[in-house]
Amino acid sequence: MSVTLNVNGTEQSVEVSPDTPLLWAIRDHVRLTGTKFGCGLAQCGACTLHVDGQPTRACVTPVSAVEGKTITTIEGIESSTAKAVQQAWTELEVAQCGYCQSGQIMSAVALLEQNRNPSDADIDAAMNGNICRCATYVRIRKAIKLAAEQLS
Amino acid sequence: MLRRKQRIDSATVRTSRRGFLKFAGGVGAGLTLMMNLPQAAAETAAAAASKEGDFMPNAFVRIGTDNRVTVFIKHLEMGQGTFTGLATLVAEELDAAWEQIDSEHAAADAGKYANLFWGTVQGTGSSTAIANAFMQMRLAGATARAMLVAAAASEWRVPVAEISVSQGVVSHAASGRQAPFGDLAEPATRQPVPPEDSLRLKTPQEFIYIGKQQQPRKDRGKTDGSAIFTQDIQLPDMLIAVVAHPPLFGARASGVDAAQARQVPGVVDVVQIESGVAVLANDTWSAKKGRDALKIHWDESSAFKGSSPEIMARYRELTQAPGLPARSDGDAASALAAGANVIEADFEFPYLAHATMEPMNCVVRVGDGECEIWNGDQIQTLDQGAAAQVLGIKPEQVRIHTLFAGGSFGRRANPHSDYVLEAVRIAKSRPGTAVKLVWLREDDTRAGYYRPAYAHKIRATLDENGMPEAWEHRIAGQSILKGTAFEGGMVKDGVDSTSVEGAVNLPYRIPNLRVELHTVEEGPPVQWWRSVGSTHTAFSTEVFIDRLARAAGQDPVAYRMQLLEGHPRHQGVLKLAAEKAGWGSELPAGRSLGVAVHESFNTYVAQVAEVSLQDDGGFRVERVVCAVDCGIAVNPDVIRAQMEGGIGYGLSPAMMSEISLDQGRVAQSNFHDYQVLRISQMPEIEVHIVPSAEAPTGVGEPGTPVIAPAVANALESATGQTLSRLPLKLA
């Protein structure tokens, strides 16, 4: 069946079954591959994107649940918060393999949109669902703080 | 992996250090034989990838008329920084501007891009990328520079000696003429390739990039979603394959009812292959639904049905008896028999999955007499050979596009080409169609190729001064190399070097030292895992030496320093880490420090872990101070990143990761039960790099094995408990 998705400000019609996870609709049909597949169980956070501004695990969100909602992927983030986060990530050279970093950045942006001055505990709480097997966590923490500084 | 070969070459580099420095100082000697024939490489590589007027003096450098410099990277970028490290070496001798450099994966072609420590094999591993390519990349850059200078001299009719190069600009001061590289690219193609012994490489004092400020990494696109991994490859009419794998190692599909699977919209085909049953579909979700709708009868008659407790009991039993000797100094058996107070310990290590963030995957298109593969490929030459064999074509007819890997930690260097061959076999059923094999997390977790399980037993006696008199170390576990292309070179007299590395080269001064190995046949397939043998030998040896220090009533750092006499690089990192960590100073209540030092892949690492005991009976690792000696530090920030990440990777098996088998079934499937370190569990980390003029060595692996023993030692000293098993659990 045809499902209409609003992705990064554009309405897109995709031919998928309604139970298809948003992740695969976006990757295979909308053909935006920045949102990653890691686990399929909302355990790793690699597929994190924003639905109406809220960080959401696309791998367990069926397309039927997000019709009419605003979906933003790593390719579509443009806010000053997002730019500050990406800039901090680059400045501190956070990424190693980079595969999880789209999800990390989407979680970090959502955190800073809601909390301009997160503590270590706030960062841990917001980011604990995002696994990084390269264990770039030390730099993720620093980058979130750097971005917060830039935004203040 | 391939350690023996590496040791020989590294030893050559090390023992001829004077030659190395002499060469670095500008006299072409010694290591020049490492360089490929530039002319031959230029001919073929230029044909492959150049626009008209582009200048490609050798297989590694292309300078475009657009003033971009492309460096072809022969090693897989999997996060460890090869795109940055190898580009740094080229940029250094080329005197390019860092901003004009682009890194790109090289083609799969061992003739040009072999790992110089591995003979004729192109591949990445054993933390060898910087070590094997250090002179090769510098010479590649110096060759290009010399030809650009010659071109300028010819164009401007001025002497070569009067020309200087800086930041991608060639200048002649007297006439005030200057030109960016791009303007000289075309004329440079008409210059002869200079003989290597005419090239002058920089002295370390002249370095502008090596060991200097942070050059931004060259593996870009990782903060905006634009970096392309295998998972992201989209090709016209490409099909996605998801595979039903056997529930037990060694089980085979004996009956397949695919009727319902074929009814799933989007499913195109169902193909039975050696490793399972593949469902091909137009998209990933349809392929997965099709896979889940398969009804398969598995023949488990010859499958492995063992369980972890029984496996470990068997290994422990083996360590009671002598094994094959791997090292024998003095007479440990007699000294132990005569010794009054024998101290002994047993250690257990479970199977471990690599659990890369990007589950294994591979894109293959099989053509007529050819095959194209898109993969985060870690050993291109083996994968080319394996694919060629399955398809009945020549290895050079297998073209591999190497892509960024979403982590590997050794997994994508599978010596059996497991997932690559699975993809090839599926694609073979649909010639001309690109097929992307997608493993779901569960496929990846349960596929085997684990770090083997091991049991260790160490026994020692101390002399009247408390120093070890005898040390007997027995290891039991599966061989990683048996049955692989590496067996011939790296299994000697029945001893797999990867089973005992880190134990046989124990640096401590012990007069009677014996290391023995029991190699076990087991069902689950096994493989190298970041730092290979050191994943377990660093733990047992460093926890045990700490216990000996405590038994002798001595400080663990001071005790090690004495026993490391004659090993200045071990001592150097140990001293530095201890100093920076404030070893010996007062700590807050409930906190304790533990230390470990270990060399792997010729890189020396010491770590001091500060742990705190928690009210719930658990513990936290609060802070780690790490010192590393990897010779010349090419990219200090990449080294720091690899130490941070290596520590984080090593904390997972230290604290929570474990694969267990229950009557042959892998008990874990995904990140909820194969747990790994998360940000809330990550300590603060401080990395210190020992200044060094030694030849550079790798940093991808050596940070990993040191953290578990450092944490265990902190916990043992805080609690008095004996921690003999990973993951660590306090009683």
Side-chain angles (χ1 to χ4, degrees):
Chain A
M1 64 171 271
S2 183
V3 178
T4 302
L5 299 173
N6 182 332
V7 183
N8 299 334
T10 310
E11 298 267 320
Q12 311 241 10
S13 179
V14 294
E15 286 296 321
V16 294
S17 63
D19 64 341
T20 303
L22 179 58
L23 170 68
W24 296 116
I26 284 187
R27 289 184 54 83
D28 289 352
H29 295 270
V30 182
R31 305 233 158 175
L32 291 173
T33 56
T35 307
K36 300 302 189 209
F37 165 64
C39 70
L41 283 185
Q43 290 292 311
C44 80
C47 66
T48 306
L49 41 65
H50 296 173
V51 175
D52 288 344
Q54 293 302 307
T56 302
R57 305 295 190 235
C59 73
V60 294
T61 305
V63 287
S64 57
V66 292
E67 271 196 285
K69 297 190 176 176
T70 303
I71 299 155
T72 310
T73 70
I74 184 78
E75 292 92 344
I77 47 171
E78 285 171 343
S79 67
S80 56
T81 308
K83 295 296 161 203
V85 168
Q86 286 173 309
Q87 178 59 37
W89 244 250
T90 305
E91 196 170 324
L92 297 178
E93 296 288 13
V94 172
Q96 291 186 23
C97 90
Y99 192 81
C100 74
Q101 297 296 349
S102 297
Q104 303 281 359
I105 287 170
M106 295 307 279
S107 290
V109 170
L111 165 65
L112 288 171
E113 298 278 14
Q114 283 150 26
N115 179 353
R116 282 304 208 206
N117 188 22
S119 64
D120 280 348
D122 295 334
I123 293 172
D124 281 358
M127 303 299 295
N128 221 33
N130 287 82
I131 294 172
C132 173
R133 289 290 284 150
C134 301
T136 61
Y137 300 127
V138 170
R139 292 184 190 216
I140 289 173
R141 264 190 215 135
K142 282 188 191 148
I144 291 173
K145 288 181 183 172
L146 177 61
E149 248 172 61
Q150 302 293 327
L151 288 164
S152 67
Chain B
M1 74 184 115
L2 296 164
R3 183 180 185 103
R4 191 177 301 276
K5 175 69 179 153
Q6 187 209 353
R7 278 212 174 278
I8 292 164
D9 285 308
S10 295
T12 310
V13 171
R14 206 157 25 184
T15 51
S16 64
R17 187 185 153 211
R18 243 175 302 156
F20 164 73
L21 289 175
K22 192 172 77 177
F23 185 63
V27 184
L31 297 174
T32 52
L33 63 137
M34 284 180 171
M35 188 63 179
N36 285 322
L37 298 170
Q39 194 58 63
E43 281 164 15
T44 42
S50 287
K51 290 199 297 287
E52 200 176 338
D54 284 356
F55 167 48
M56 193 151 178
N58 51 58
F60 299 100
V61 184
R62 182 182 67 213
I63 298 174
T65 52
D66 61 358
N67 207 33
R68 300 302 300 170
V69 174
T70 306
V71 178
F72 294 95
I73 306 295
K74 65 177 186 168
H75 292 295
L76 171 67
E77 176 59 83
M78 48 189 147
Q80 86 283 38
T82 54
F83 266 40
T84 309
L86 301 194
T88 298
L89 302 173
V90 170
E92 181 68 68
E93 298 294 347
L94 180 57
D95 277 314
W98 186 247
E99 301 73 41
Q100 75 184 137
I101 301 257
D102 300 309
S103 291
E104 207 175 279
H105 276 122
D109 182 347
K112 294 187 205 126
Y113 299 116
N115 184 324
L116 298 179
F117 291 173
W118 296 2
T120 54
V121 174
Q122 182 179 353
T124 308
S126 301
S127 296
T128 55
I130 283 282
N132 92 93
F134 186 63
M135 299 311 280
Q136 185 181 39
M137 292 300 114
R138 292 176 65 196
L139 283 164
T143 302
R145 183 189 192 277
M147 291 169 75
L148 290 166
V149 167
S154 160
E155 297 278 303
W156 301 339
R157 300 177 190 282
V158 299
V160 161
E162 291 178 8
I163 289 176
S164 63
V165 185
S166 175
Q167 293 295 311
V169 178
V170 182
S171 308
H172 181 249
S175 66
R177 302 186 76 152
Q178 60 176 42
F181 286 173
D183 289 0
L184 291 166
E186 192 274 328
T189 59
R190 293 192 297 273
Q191 292 296 321
V193 176
E196 273 166 32
D197 58 10
S198 72
L199 299 172
R200 182 191 169 280
L201 297 186
K202 290 182 183 175
T203 63
Q205 291 71 35
E206 294 171 306
F207 289 159
I208 54 170
Y209 294 125
I210 295 173
K212 301 300 176 190
Q213 90 292 351
Q214 300 179 20
Q215 293 83 251
R217 285 177 70 118
K218 287 296 180 190
D219 49 339
R220 310 314 305 180
K222 293 180 174 181
T223 57
D224 60 9
S226 64
I228 297 296
F229 299 83
T230 306
Q231 193 77 44
D232 305 328
I233 291 292
Q234 315 256 12
L235 296 167
D237 302 321
M238 184 178 78
L239 296 177
I240 309 292
V242 174
V243 176
H245 291 110
L248 298 176
F249 297 112
R252 296 182 74 90
S254 55
V256 180
D257 174 359
Q260 279 183 29
R262 288 182 184 277
Q263 297 296 310
V264 173
V267 168
V268 173
D269 204 356
V270 176
V271 182
Q272 191 166 347
I273 47 170
E274 286 183 34
S275 52
V277 183
V279 173
L280 291 98
N282 293 318
D283 65 11
T284 315
W285 186 245
S286 306
K288 187 221 180 264
K289 280 183 24 179
R291 193 273 309 261
D292 293 348
L294 288 170
K295 292 197 180 87
I296 302 172
H297 181 263
W298 299 101
D299 175 2
E300 299 182 351
S301 56
S302 54
F304 176 74
K305 300 190 186 75
S307 298
S308 287
E310 163 267 314
I311 291 170
M312 198 49 70
R314 207 160 12 93
Y315 292 6
R316 287 187 63 149
E317 185 62 30
L318 281 170
T319 63
Q320 302 296 322
L324 289 175
R327 175 172 171 180
S328 200
D329 300 353
D331 184 354
S334 300
L336 281 161
N341 293 313
V342 175
I343 299 168
E344 69 170 77
D346 294 293
F347 299 95
E348 295 181 11
F349 306 88
Y351 287 108
L352 293 175
H354 301 75
T356 55
M357 286 310 296
E358 180 185 22
M360 293 305 107
N361 47 25
C362 186
V363 180
V364 180
R365 182 164 54 204
V366 174
D368 184 15
E370 59 166 16
C371 171
E372 236 178 321
I373 295 176
W374 291 259
N375 180 30
D377 209 298
Q378 207 178 327
I379 310 188
Q380 289 87 349
T381 306
L382 289 191
D383 289 335
Q384 278 179 302
Q389 196 169 9
V390 164
L391 298 171
I393 59 177
K394 295 179 185 147
E396 58 269 27
Q397 291 173 311
V398 177
R399 196 169 148 210
I400 298 180
H401 306 270
T402 301
L403 300 162
F404 288 150
S408 177
F409 318 113
R411 182 64 182 86
R412 286 182 178 272
N414 187 281
H416 307 276
S417 302
D418 68 324
Y419 69 91
V420 172
L421 283 189
E422 183 167 274
V424 167
R425 289 186 170 114
I426 297 165
K428 190 182 171 189
S429 74
R430 296 189 80 82
T433 301
V435 176
K436 187 200 299 185
L437 169 68
V438 174
W439 277 12
L440 304 180
R441 175 59 57 191
E442 292 77 9
D443 298 302
D444 194 87
T445 305
R446 293 184 158 160
Y449 293 107
Y450 302 130
R451 195 288 305 275
Y454 293 96
H456 290 213
K457 177 183 270 306
I458 311 183
R459 300 194 304 146
T461 56
L462 303 182
D463 66 18
E464 63 280 7
N465 299 315
M467 306 315 275
E469 177 74 28
W471 171 295
E472 181 195 79
H473 189 167
R474 289 181 185 148
I475 299 171
Q478 277 170 270
S479 166
I480 291 170
L481 297 170
K482 204 172 169 200
T484 74
F486 305 105
E487 182 174 354
M490 295 171 68
V491 180
K492 208 176 165 196
D493 299 329
V495 175
D496 180 333
S497 58
T498 68
S499 300
V500 294
E501 62 184 355
V504 289
N505 48 330
L506 191 76
Y508 299 118
R509 190 188 61 235
I510 302 172
N512 303 289
L513 193 153
R514 191 166 168 90
V515 180
E516 297 174 350
L517 175 68
H518 293 275
T519 297
V520 180
E521 295 287 337
E522 211 69 80
V526 293
Q527 196 183 330
W528 27 58
W529 189 102
R530 195 176 190 173
S531 82
V532 198
S534 292
T535 57
H536 49 108
T537 58
F539 186 82
S540 61
T541 57
E542 282 299 291
V543 169
F544 196 67
I545 201 80
D546 231 59
R547 289 188 198 161
L548 296 188
R550 281 195 295 277
Q554 297 197 32
D555 174 78
V557 171
Y559 191 71
R560 284 179 174 83
M561 288 298 280
Q562 284 183 65
L563 290 170
L564 287 170
E565 211 176 289
H567 294 274
R569 298 180 75 181
H570 285 87
Q571 287 182 320
V573 289
L574 179 58
K575 192 161 167 282
L576 183 59
E579 272 172 21
K580 297 289 183 183
W583 185 266
S585 60
E586 200 74 9
L587 284 168
R591 299 270 178 122
S592 67
L593 296 183
V595 68
V597 58
H598 189 79
E599 170 268 320
S600 56
F601 308 107
N602 302 308
T603 290
Y604 303 77
V605 177
Q607 289 166 11
V608 175
E610 182 175 329
V611 304
S612 65
L613 301 177
Q614 302 294 298
D615 294 339
D616 64 0
F619 64 92
R620 274 186 67 83
V621 183
E622 304 283 354
R623 173 174 177 245
V624 178
V625 176
C626 173
V628 53
D629 175 355
C630 55
I632 293 170
V634 175
N635 298 103
D637 192 58
V638 172
I639 294 166
R640 279 190 286 274
Q642 285 308 297
M643 291 301 117
E644 293 162 8
I647 289 165
Y649 198 74
L651 277 171
S652 288
M655 296 172 68
M656 67 283 283
S657 300
E658 175 171 11
I659 288 285
S660 55
L661 296 157
D662 180 12
Q663 296 179 47
R665 282 176 169 73
V666 178
Q668 294 74 23
S669 61
N670 204 315
F671 287 122
H672 64 287
D673 49 14
Y674 187 74
Q675 295 202 17
V676 297
L677 194 81
R678 291 176 182 269
I679 194 169
S680 61
Q681 296 154 318
M682 185 73 174
E684 288 304 313
I685 296 176
E686 201 180 297
V687 178
H688 302 276
I689 302 170
V690 175
S692 171
E694 298 279 345
T697 50
V699 293
E701 296 170 271
T704 295
V706 193
I707 187 61
V711 170
N713 290 338
L715 292 171
E716 290 203 355
S717 90
T719 64
Q721 295 181 27
T722 301
L723 299 168
S724 301
R725 189 179 188 284
L726 291 181
L728 299 167
K729 284 197 176 59
L730 290 173

